[in-house]
Every structure is written in structure tokens, then in C-alpha cells.
Amino acid sequence: MSLATTVEPGTKVEFGRPGTPSYRVGTLVSIASAEALGRREAEPSALVAWESGEEEWTELSLLRAAS
């Protein structure tokens, strides 16, 4: 089952591996198709509000639901 079918806005998500500099935790704000964002890819993207205060569109497959 993909993350897109298991999360909804407000879900806490994580990116990267714990203990590495790229590891981040945030809250899923929205999910949009690549086409809606003007991208030539097939994979949907997620708008994430990171704990640092930044918001960023990220490929959905790079995120995991945080425990």
C-alpha cells in the first residue's frame, strides 16, 4: 500500500533516516498530482510543513508516516 492511500492532511510524516543530516519530521499539508503542479512526472507530491517552519513540495514516495 502506498503512502498516498494511508495518509491525509494533518498526518505526521518523516523524510530520510533518523540520525542523518537529511532526517526531517513534519506535517502533511496537501497531496497533489504531478500534472496539477505542472510536472512531467507521474508520481504525486506532498506539501509538507517541516518542524523547522519551512514548507516544501516533496515526492510522496520519499516520505514515511511517522510513528
Side-chain angles (χ1 to χ4, degrees):
M1 186 178 334
S2 73
L3 184 64
T5 60
T6 61
V7 296
E8 57 187 44
T11 302
K12 190 171 185 179
V13 294
E14 57 186 7
F15 174 89
R17 290 192 302 166
T20 64
S22 65
Y23 181 71
R24 293 184 277 176
V25 176
T27 302
L28 182 74
V29 176
S30 179
I31 297 174
S33 69
E35 183 177 288
L37 297 172
R39 296 181 179 170
R40 295 178 185 225
E41 303 159 0
E43 183 176 353
S45 292
L47 179 61
V48 179
W50 300 113
E51 290 181 342
S52 65
E54 297 175 287
E55 288 189 352
E56 173 183 42
W57 285 101
T58 304
E59 290 181 17
L60 200 53
S61 65
L62 299 177
L63 301 173
R64 295 180 308 281
S67 49

Short mmCIF file of all heavy atoms in Angstrom, two decimals:
data_model
loop_
_atom_site.label_atom_id
_atom_site.label_comp_id
_atom_site.label_asym_id
_atom_site.label_seq_id
_atom_site.Cartn_x
_atom_site.Cartn_y
_atom_site.Cartn_z
N MET A 1 0.84 -1.17 0.00
CA MET A 1 0.00 0.00 0.00
C MET A 1 0.89 1.24 0.00
O MET A 1 1.87 1.32 0.72
CB MET A 1 -0.87 -0.03 1.25
CG MET A 1 -1.87 1.07 1.27
SD MET A 1 -3.01 1.08 2.70
CE MET A 1 -3.10 -0.58 3.23
N SER A 2 0.57 2.20 -0.83
CA SER A 2 1.39 3.38 -0.93
C SER A 2 1.04 4.38 0.16
O SER A 2 -0.05 4.35 0.73
CB SER A 2 1.22 4.04 -2.30
OG SER A 2 -0.03 4.67 -2.38
N LEU A 3 1.94 5.29 0.43
CA LEU A 3 1.71 6.32 1.43
C LEU A 3 0.49 7.16 1.06
O LEU A 3 -0.27 7.56 1.93
CB LEU A 3 2.95 7.21 1.58
CG LEU A 3 2.88 8.28 2.67
CD1 LEU A 3 2.76 7.64 4.04
CD2 LEU A 3 4.08 9.17 2.62
N ALA A 4 0.27 7.38 -0.22
CA ALA A 4 -0.85 8.21 -0.67
C ALA A 4 -2.19 7.65 -0.22
O ALA A 4 -3.13 8.39 0.00
CB ALA A 4 -0.83 8.36 -2.18
N THR A 5 -2.28 6.35 -0.07
CA THR A 5 -3.55 5.75 0.34
C THR A 5 -3.67 5.61 1.85
O THR A 5 -4.72 5.23 2.34
CB THR A 5 -3.73 4.37 -0.31
OG1 THR A 5 -2.67 3.53 0.11
CG2 THR A 5 -3.79 4.46 -1.82
N THR A 6 -2.60 5.92 2.58
CA THR A 6 -2.63 5.72 4.02
C THR A 6 -2.57 7.01 4.82
O THR A 6 -2.67 6.96 6.04
CB THR A 6 -1.47 4.81 4.46
OG1 THR A 6 -0.23 5.44 4.13
CG2 THR A 6 -1.55 3.45 3.83
N VAL A 7 -2.38 8.14 4.18
CA VAL A 7 -2.26 9.40 4.92
C VAL A 7 -3.25 10.43 4.40
O VAL A 7 -3.73 10.33 3.28
CB VAL A 7 -0.83 9.99 4.84
CG1 VAL A 7 0.17 9.08 5.51
CG2 VAL A 7 -0.44 10.29 3.42
N GLU A 8 -3.51 11.39 5.22
CA GLU A 8 -4.35 12.51 4.85
C GLU A 8 -3.75 13.75 5.47
O GLU A 8 -2.88 13.65 6.35
CB GLU A 8 -5.79 12.28 5.32
CG GLU A 8 -5.91 12.05 6.80
CD GLU A 8 -7.31 11.66 7.21
OE1 GLU A 8 -7.92 10.83 6.53
OE2 GLU A 8 -7.78 12.19 8.21
N PRO A 9 -4.16 14.92 5.04
CA PRO A 9 -3.61 16.15 5.64
C PRO A 9 -3.71 16.10 7.16
O PRO A 9 -4.70 15.63 7.73
CB PRO A 9 -4.49 17.24 5.04
CG PRO A 9 -4.86 16.70 3.70
CD PRO A 9 -5.08 15.21 3.95
N GLY A 10 -2.65 16.53 7.80
CA GLY A 10 -2.56 16.50 9.25
C GLY A 10 -1.74 15.34 9.78
O GLY A 10 -1.38 15.31 10.96
N THR A 11 -1.40 14.38 8.91
CA THR A 11 -0.60 13.22 9.31
C THR A 11 0.86 13.64 9.50
O THR A 11 1.42 14.37 8.70
CB THR A 11 -0.66 12.11 8.24
OG1 THR A 11 -2.02 11.73 8.05
CG2 THR A 11 0.17 10.91 8.63
N LYS A 12 1.47 13.15 10.56
CA LYS A 12 2.89 13.41 10.81
C LYS A 12 3.71 12.48 9.92
O LYS A 12 3.46 11.27 9.88
CB LYS A 12 3.22 13.17 12.28
CG LYS A 12 4.59 13.64 12.68
CD LYS A 12 4.74 13.56 14.19
CE LYS A 12 6.06 14.14 14.61
NZ LYS A 12 6.22 14.10 16.07
N VAL A 13 4.67 13.04 9.17
CA VAL A 13 5.50 12.26 8.26
C VAL A 13 6.97 12.53 8.53
O VAL A 13 7.33 13.52 9.15
CB VAL A 13 5.17 12.59 6.77
CG1 VAL A 13 3.77 12.14 6.41
CG2 VAL A 13 5.35 14.07 6.48
N GLU A 14 7.80 11.63 8.03
CA GLU A 14 9.25 11.81 8.16
C GLU A 14 9.93 11.57 6.83
O GLU A 14 9.41 10.87 5.96
CB GLU A 14 9.82 10.93 9.26
CG GLU A 14 9.56 9.47 9.10
CD GLU A 14 10.03 8.65 10.30
OE1 GLU A 14 10.45 9.19 11.33
OE2 GLU A 14 9.96 7.42 10.17
N PHE A 15 11.12 12.17 6.69
CA PHE A 15 11.92 12.10 5.47
C PHE A 15 13.33 11.74 5.88
O PHE A 15 13.86 12.28 6.86
CB PHE A 15 11.91 13.48 4.79
CG PHE A 15 12.80 13.59 3.60
CD1 PHE A 15 12.35 13.26 2.34
CD2 PHE A 15 14.11 14.03 3.75
CE1 PHE A 15 13.17 13.38 1.24
CE2 PHE A 15 14.94 14.15 2.64
CZ PHE A 15 14.47 13.82 1.38
N GLY A 16 13.97 10.85 5.16
CA GLY A 16 15.35 10.47 5.46
C GLY A 16 15.42 9.44 6.58
O GLY A 16 14.41 8.92 7.04
N ARG A 17 16.65 9.17 7.01
CA ARG A 17 16.86 8.19 8.07
C ARG A 17 17.22 8.90 9.37
O ARG A 17 18.04 9.83 9.36
CB ARG A 17 17.98 7.22 7.69
CG ARG A 17 17.55 6.30 6.56
CD ARG A 17 18.49 5.16 6.35
NE ARG A 17 19.85 5.64 6.07
CZ ARG A 17 20.92 4.89 6.11
NH1 ARG A 17 20.82 3.63 6.39
NH2 ARG A 17 22.10 5.39 5.86
N PRO A 18 16.64 8.46 10.48
CA PRO A 18 16.99 9.06 11.77
C PRO A 18 18.50 9.02 12.01
O PRO A 18 19.17 8.05 11.67
CB PRO A 18 16.26 8.19 12.79
CG PRO A 18 15.12 7.61 12.03
CD PRO A 18 15.64 7.40 10.62
N GLY A 19 19.02 10.09 12.57
CA GLY A 19 20.45 10.16 12.85
C GLY A 19 21.28 10.71 11.71
O GLY A 19 22.49 10.87 11.84
N THR A 20 20.66 10.99 10.56
CA THR A 20 21.40 11.57 9.44
C THR A 20 21.01 13.04 9.29
O THR A 20 19.93 13.45 9.74
CB THR A 20 21.08 10.84 8.12
OG1 THR A 20 19.70 11.02 7.79
CG2 THR A 20 21.39 9.35 8.22
N PRO A 21 21.87 13.84 8.67
CA PRO A 21 21.57 15.26 8.50
C PRO A 21 20.31 15.54 7.67
O PRO A 21 19.68 16.58 7.83
CB PRO A 21 22.80 15.81 7.78
CG PRO A 21 23.87 14.83 8.04
CD PRO A 21 23.20 13.50 8.20
N SER A 22 19.92 14.62 6.81
CA SER A 22 18.76 14.86 5.96
C SER A 22 17.43 14.50 6.64
O SER A 22 16.37 14.76 6.10
CB SER A 22 18.88 14.06 4.65
OG SER A 22 18.85 12.67 4.93
N TYR A 23 17.49 13.93 7.83
CA TYR A 23 16.27 13.50 8.52
C TYR A 23 15.43 14.70 8.94
O TYR A 23 15.93 15.64 9.55
CB TYR A 23 16.62 12.66 9.74
CG TYR A 23 15.40 12.16 10.48
CD1 TYR A 23 14.60 11.17 9.94
CD2 TYR A 23 15.05 12.69 11.71
CE1 TYR A 23 13.48 10.70 10.62
CE2 TYR A 23 13.94 12.23 12.39
CZ TYR A 23 13.16 11.24 11.84
OH TYR A 23 12.05 10.79 12.50
N ARG A 24 14.14 14.67 8.58
CA ARG A 24 13.21 15.73 8.96
C ARG A 24 11.86 15.14 9.30
O ARG A 24 11.47 14.11 8.75
CB ARG A 24 13.04 16.74 7.81
CG ARG A 24 14.30 17.51 7.51
CD ARG A 24 14.04 18.53 6.46
NE ARG A 24 14.13 17.87 5.16
CZ ARG A 24 13.89 18.46 4.01
NH1 ARG A 24 13.51 19.71 3.99
NH2 ARG A 24 14.01 17.81 2.88
N VAL A 25 11.15 15.82 10.16
CA VAL A 25 9.80 15.42 10.55
C VAL A 25 8.89 16.62 10.32
O VAL A 25 9.28 17.76 10.55
CB VAL A 25 9.74 14.99 12.04
CG1 VAL A 25 8.32 14.69 12.47
CG2 VAL A 25 10.64 13.80 12.28
N GLY A 26 7.70 16.34 9.83
CA GLY A 26 6.76 17.42 9.58
C GLY A 26 5.33 16.92 9.50
O GLY A 26 5.05 15.77 9.78
N THR A 27 4.46 17.83 9.11
CA THR A 27 3.04 17.52 8.99
C THR A 27 2.61 17.65 7.54
O THR A 27 2.92 18.65 6.89
CB THR A 27 2.21 18.48 9.86
OG1 THR A 27 2.67 18.37 11.21
CG2 THR A 27 0.73 18.15 9.81
N LEU A 28 1.91 16.65 7.04
CA LEU A 28 1.41 16.67 5.67
C LEU A 28 0.31 17.72 5.56
O LEU A 28 -0.64 17.72 6.33
CB LEU A 28 0.87 15.30 5.30
CG LEU A 28 0.36 15.14 3.88
CD1 LEU A 28 1.53 15.09 2.92
CD2 LEU A 28 -0.47 13.90 3.75
N VAL A 29 0.48 18.63 4.62
CA VAL A 29 -0.50 19.70 4.41
C VAL A 29 -1.45 19.34 3.28
O VAL A 29 -2.66 19.52 3.39
CB VAL A 29 0.21 21.04 4.11
CG1 VAL A 29 -0.79 22.13 3.80
CG2 VAL A 29 1.11 21.43 5.26
N SER A 30 -0.90 18.82 2.17
CA SER A 30 -1.72 18.56 0.98
C SER A 30 -1.01 17.56 0.08
O SER A 30 0.21 17.44 0.12
CB SER A 30 -1.94 19.87 0.24
OG SER A 30 -2.68 19.69 -0.92
N ILE A 31 -1.79 16.88 -0.75
CA ILE A 31 -1.24 15.99 -1.78
C ILE A 31 -1.80 16.46 -3.12
O ILE A 31 -2.99 16.76 -3.23
CB ILE A 31 -1.64 14.52 -1.54
CG1 ILE A 31 -1.05 14.02 -0.22
CG2 ILE A 31 -1.16 13.64 -2.70
CD1 ILE A 31 -1.51 12.64 0.17
N ALA A 32 -0.92 16.54 -4.14
CA ALA A 32 -1.35 16.97 -5.47
C ALA A 32 -0.69 16.09 -6.52
O ALA A 32 0.41 15.58 -6.33
CB ALA A 32 -0.97 18.42 -5.71
N SER A 33 -1.38 15.94 -7.64
CA SER A 33 -0.82 15.17 -8.74
C SER A 33 0.32 15.96 -9.38
O SER A 33 0.36 17.19 -9.28
CB SER A 33 -1.88 14.86 -9.79
OG SER A 33 -2.27 16.06 -10.45
N ALA A 34 1.21 15.26 -10.03
CA ALA A 34 2.31 15.92 -10.72
C ALA A 34 1.76 16.85 -11.80
O ALA A 34 2.26 17.95 -12.00
CB ALA A 34 3.25 14.89 -11.32
N GLU A 35 0.71 16.41 -12.48
CA GLU A 35 0.12 17.22 -13.54
C GLU A 35 -0.43 18.54 -12.99
O GLU A 35 -0.24 19.59 -13.59
CB GLU A 35 -1.01 16.44 -14.20
CG GLU A 35 -1.64 17.16 -15.37
CD GLU A 35 -2.71 16.31 -16.02
OE1 GLU A 35 -2.34 15.32 -16.69
OE2 GLU A 35 -3.90 16.63 -15.84
N ALA A 36 -1.07 18.50 -11.84
CA ALA A 36 -1.61 19.72 -11.23
C ALA A 36 -0.51 20.70 -10.85
O ALA A 36 -0.72 21.91 -10.83
CB ALA A 36 -2.44 19.37 -10.00
N LEU A 37 0.69 20.17 -10.57
CA LEU A 37 1.83 21.02 -10.21
C LEU A 37 2.67 21.41 -11.42
O LEU A 37 3.68 22.07 -11.27
CB LEU A 37 2.71 20.30 -9.18
CG LEU A 37 2.04 20.00 -7.85
CD1 LEU A 37 2.92 19.12 -6.99
CD2 LEU A 37 1.69 21.30 -7.12
N GLY A 38 2.26 20.97 -12.62
CA GLY A 38 2.99 21.31 -13.83
C GLY A 38 4.25 20.50 -14.03
O GLY A 38 5.15 20.91 -14.75
N ARG A 39 4.32 19.34 -13.42
CA ARG A 39 5.50 18.47 -13.56
C ARG A 39 5.21 17.40 -14.59
O ARG A 39 4.09 16.98 -14.76
CB ARG A 39 5.84 17.84 -12.22
CG ARG A 39 6.24 18.87 -11.20
CD ARG A 39 6.60 18.21 -9.90
NE ARG A 39 7.01 19.23 -8.94
CZ ARG A 39 7.20 19.00 -7.67
NH1 ARG A 39 7.03 17.79 -7.19
NH2 ARG A 39 7.56 19.96 -6.87
N ARG A 40 6.24 16.90 -15.22
CA ARG A 40 6.08 15.88 -16.25
C ARG A 40 6.28 14.48 -15.69
O ARG A 40 6.61 13.57 -16.42
CB ARG A 40 7.07 16.12 -17.38
CG ARG A 40 6.81 17.40 -18.10
CD ARG A 40 7.82 17.62 -19.17
NE ARG A 40 7.62 18.92 -19.77
CZ ARG A 40 7.63 19.15 -21.05
NH1 ARG A 40 7.88 18.18 -21.88
NH2 ARG A 40 7.42 20.36 -21.49
N GLU A 41 6.09 14.32 -14.42
CA GLU A 41 6.25 13.03 -13.77
C GLU A 41 4.88 12.42 -13.52
O GLU A 41 3.87 13.08 -13.65
CB GLU A 41 6.99 13.22 -12.45
CG GLU A 41 8.34 13.90 -12.62
CD GLU A 41 8.83 14.55 -11.34
OE1 GLU A 41 8.13 14.49 -10.32
OE2 GLU A 41 9.91 15.13 -11.37
N ALA A 42 4.85 11.19 -13.11
CA ALA A 42 3.58 10.52 -12.81
C ALA A 42 3.29 10.49 -11.31
O ALA A 42 2.16 10.34 -10.90
CB ALA A 42 3.61 9.10 -13.36
N GLU A 43 4.34 10.63 -10.51
CA GLU A 43 4.19 10.48 -9.07
C GLU A 43 3.60 11.72 -8.41
O GLU A 43 4.03 12.84 -8.69
CB GLU A 43 5.56 10.19 -8.45
CG GLU A 43 5.48 9.95 -6.98
CD GLU A 43 6.81 9.56 -6.38
OE1 GLU A 43 7.78 9.36 -7.13
OE2 GLU A 43 6.86 9.48 -5.17
N PRO A 44 2.64 11.54 -7.50
CA PRO A 44 2.09 12.68 -6.78
C PRO A 44 3.12 13.27 -5.82
O PRO A 44 4.10 12.61 -5.44
CB PRO A 44 0.90 12.11 -6.01
CG PRO A 44 1.04 10.64 -6.06
CD PRO A 44 1.99 10.30 -7.15
N SER A 45 2.91 14.50 -5.43
CA SER A 45 3.78 15.18 -4.47
C SER A 45 2.97 15.60 -3.26
O SER A 45 1.76 15.75 -3.32
CB SER A 45 4.41 16.42 -5.11
OG SER A 45 5.31 16.04 -6.12
N ALA A 46 3.68 15.80 -2.16
CA ALA A 46 3.04 16.20 -0.92
C ALA A 46 3.64 17.51 -0.45
O ALA A 46 4.86 17.69 -0.50
CB ALA A 46 3.26 15.13 0.15
N LEU A 47 2.79 18.42 -0.02
CA LEU A 47 3.24 19.65 0.61
C LEU A 47 3.38 19.34 2.08
O LEU A 47 2.43 18.93 2.74
CB LEU A 47 2.25 20.79 0.39
CG LEU A 47 2.62 22.12 1.03
CD1 LEU A 47 3.94 22.66 0.48
CD2 LEU A 47 1.51 23.13 0.82
N VAL A 48 4.60 19.54 2.60
CA VAL A 48 4.88 19.21 3.99
C VAL A 48 5.33 20.47 4.72
O VAL A 48 6.14 21.24 4.21
CB VAL A 48 6.00 18.14 4.10
CG1 VAL A 48 6.31 17.81 5.54
CG2 VAL A 48 5.60 16.88 3.35
N ALA A 49 4.78 20.69 5.90
CA ALA A 49 5.23 21.76 6.79
C ALA A 49 6.21 21.10 7.77
O ALA A 49 5.81 20.33 8.65
CB ALA A 49 4.06 22.37 7.53
N TRP A 50 7.50 21.36 7.57
CA TRP A 50 8.53 20.75 8.41
C TRP A 50 8.54 21.42 9.77
O TRP A 50 8.14 22.57 9.92
CB TRP A 50 9.90 20.85 7.75
CG TRP A 50 9.98 20.18 6.43
CD1 TRP A 50 10.14 20.77 5.22
CD2 TRP A 50 9.85 18.77 6.16
NE1 TRP A 50 10.14 19.83 4.22
CE2 TRP A 50 9.97 18.59 4.77
CE3 TRP A 50 9.66 17.66 6.97
CZ2 TRP A 50 9.90 17.33 4.17
CZ3 TRP A 50 9.59 16.41 6.37
CH2 TRP A 50 9.72 16.26 4.99
N GLU A 51 9.06 20.72 10.78
CA GLU A 51 9.16 21.27 12.13
C GLU A 51 10.02 22.51 12.17
O GLU A 51 9.88 23.33 13.07
CB GLU A 51 9.67 20.20 13.10
CG GLU A 51 8.66 19.10 13.35
CD GLU A 51 9.14 18.05 14.33
OE1 GLU A 51 10.37 17.94 14.57
OE2 GLU A 51 8.28 17.32 14.85
N SER A 52 10.90 22.69 11.18
CA SER A 52 11.75 23.87 11.12
C SER A 52 10.97 25.12 10.74
O SER A 52 11.48 26.23 10.81
CB SER A 52 12.87 23.67 10.09
OG SER A 52 12.30 23.56 8.78
N GLY A 53 9.72 24.94 10.28
CA GLY A 53 8.90 26.07 9.87
C GLY A 53 8.83 26.23 8.36
O GLY A 53 8.02 27.00 7.86
N GLU A 54 9.65 25.51 7.63
CA GLU A 54 9.64 25.57 6.16
C GLU A 54 8.52 24.71 5.61
O GLU A 54 8.13 23.71 6.22
CB GLU A 54 10.96 25.06 5.59
CG GLU A 54 12.16 25.88 5.98
CD GLU A 54 13.44 25.23 5.47
OE1 GLU A 54 13.83 24.20 6.03
OE2 GLU A 54 14.00 25.77 4.50
N GLU A 55 8.01 25.08 4.45
CA GLU A 55 7.06 24.24 3.71
C GLU A 55 7.71 23.88 2.39
O GLU A 55 8.39 24.71 1.79
CB GLU A 55 5.74 24.98 3.46
CG GLU A 55 4.91 25.15 4.69
CD GLU A 55 3.53 25.67 4.39
OE1 GLU A 55 3.25 26.05 3.24
OE2 GLU A 55 2.73 25.70 5.30
N GLU A 56 7.48 22.65 1.94
CA GLU A 56 8.15 22.16 0.73
C GLU A 56 7.30 21.09 0.06
O GLU A 56 6.71 20.25 0.74
CB GLU A 56 9.51 21.59 1.14
CG GLU A 56 10.26 20.91 0.07
CD GLU A 56 11.57 20.32 0.59
OE1 GLU A 56 11.60 19.74 1.69
OE2 GLU A 56 12.56 20.46 -0.12
N TRP A 57 7.28 21.11 -1.28
CA TRP A 57 6.68 20.01 -2.05
C TRP A 57 7.73 18.93 -2.16
O TRP A 57 8.88 19.19 -2.53
CB TRP A 57 6.27 20.47 -3.44
CG TRP A 57 5.03 21.30 -3.43
CD1 TRP A 57 4.97 22.66 -3.51
CD2 TRP A 57 3.69 20.84 -3.34
NE1 TRP A 57 3.66 23.07 -3.46
CE2 TRP A 57 2.85 21.97 -3.36
CE3 TRP A 57 3.11 19.59 -3.22
CZ2 TRP A 57 1.46 21.88 -3.28
CZ3 TRP A 57 1.73 19.50 -3.15
CH2 TRP A 57 0.92 20.63 -3.17
N THR A 58 7.36 17.70 -1.83
CA THR A 58 8.27 16.56 -1.84
C THR A 58 7.58 15.37 -2.50
O THR A 58 6.38 15.19 -2.33
CB THR A 58 8.64 16.17 -0.38
OG1 THR A 58 9.18 17.30 0.28
CG2 THR A 58 9.63 15.05 -0.33
N GLU A 59 8.34 14.56 -3.24
CA GLU A 59 7.76 13.37 -3.84
C GLU A 59 7.19 12.48 -2.73
O GLU A 59 7.84 12.23 -1.72
CB GLU A 59 8.82 12.60 -4.63
CG GLU A 59 9.25 13.30 -5.88
CD GLU A 59 10.28 12.50 -6.65
OE1 GLU A 59 10.44 11.29 -6.39
OE2 GLU A 59 10.93 13.10 -7.50
N LEU A 60 6.00 12.04 -2.93
CA LEU A 60 5.30 11.26 -1.91
C LEU A 60 6.05 9.98 -1.53
O LEU A 60 6.05 9.58 -0.38
CB LEU A 60 3.89 10.93 -2.41
CG LEU A 60 2.86 10.56 -1.37
CD1 LEU A 60 2.75 11.59 -0.27
CD2 LEU A 60 1.53 10.33 -2.02
N SER A 61 6.72 9.36 -2.49
CA SER A 61 7.42 8.10 -2.22
C SER A 61 8.62 8.28 -1.29
O SER A 61 9.12 7.31 -0.72
CB SER A 61 7.88 7.45 -3.51
OG SER A 61 8.86 8.26 -4.14
N LEU A 62 9.08 9.50 -1.09
CA LEU A 62 10.23 9.76 -0.21
C LEU A 62 9.82 9.93 1.24
O LEU A 62 10.68 10.02 2.11
CB LEU A 62 10.98 11.02 -0.68
CG LEU A 62 11.55 10.94 -2.10
CD1 LEU A 62 12.19 12.28 -2.46
CD2 LEU A 62 12.56 9.82 -2.21
N LEU A 63 8.52 9.95 1.51
CA LEU A 63 8.01 10.17 2.87
C LEU A 63 7.52 8.87 3.49
O LEU A 63 7.10 7.95 2.80
CB LEU A 63 6.85 11.17 2.84
CG LEU A 63 7.16 12.54 2.28
CD1 LEU A 63 5.90 13.35 2.17
CD2 LEU A 63 8.18 13.27 3.16
N ARG A 64 7.57 8.83 4.83
CA ARG A 64 7.00 7.73 5.59
C ARG A 64 6.11 8.33 6.67
O ARG A 64 6.41 9.40 7.19
CB ARG A 64 8.10 6.91 6.29
CG ARG A 64 9.03 6.19 5.38
CD ARG A 64 10.07 5.40 6.17
NE ARG A 64 10.80 6.19 7.18
CZ ARG A 64 11.80 7.01 6.92
NH1 ARG A 64 12.20 7.20 5.69
NH2 ARG A 64 12.40 7.65 7.89
N ALA A 65 5.06 7.62 7.00
CA ALA A 65 4.23 8.04 8.13
C ALA A 65 5.09 7.88 9.40
O ALA A 65 5.72 6.84 9.61
CB ALA A 65 2.98 7.20 8.22
N ALA A 66 5.17 8.94 10.20
CA ALA A 66 5.96 8.89 11.43
C ALA A 66 5.19 8.16 12.50
O ALA A 66 3.97 8.24 12.57
CB ALA A 66 6.31 10.31 11.89
N SER A 67 5.93 7.45 13.32
CA SER A 67 5.26 6.71 14.39
C SER A 67 5.14 7.53 15.65
O SER A 67 5.67 8.54 15.82
CB SER A 67 6.01 5.42 14.69
OG SER A 67 7.37 5.66 14.86
#
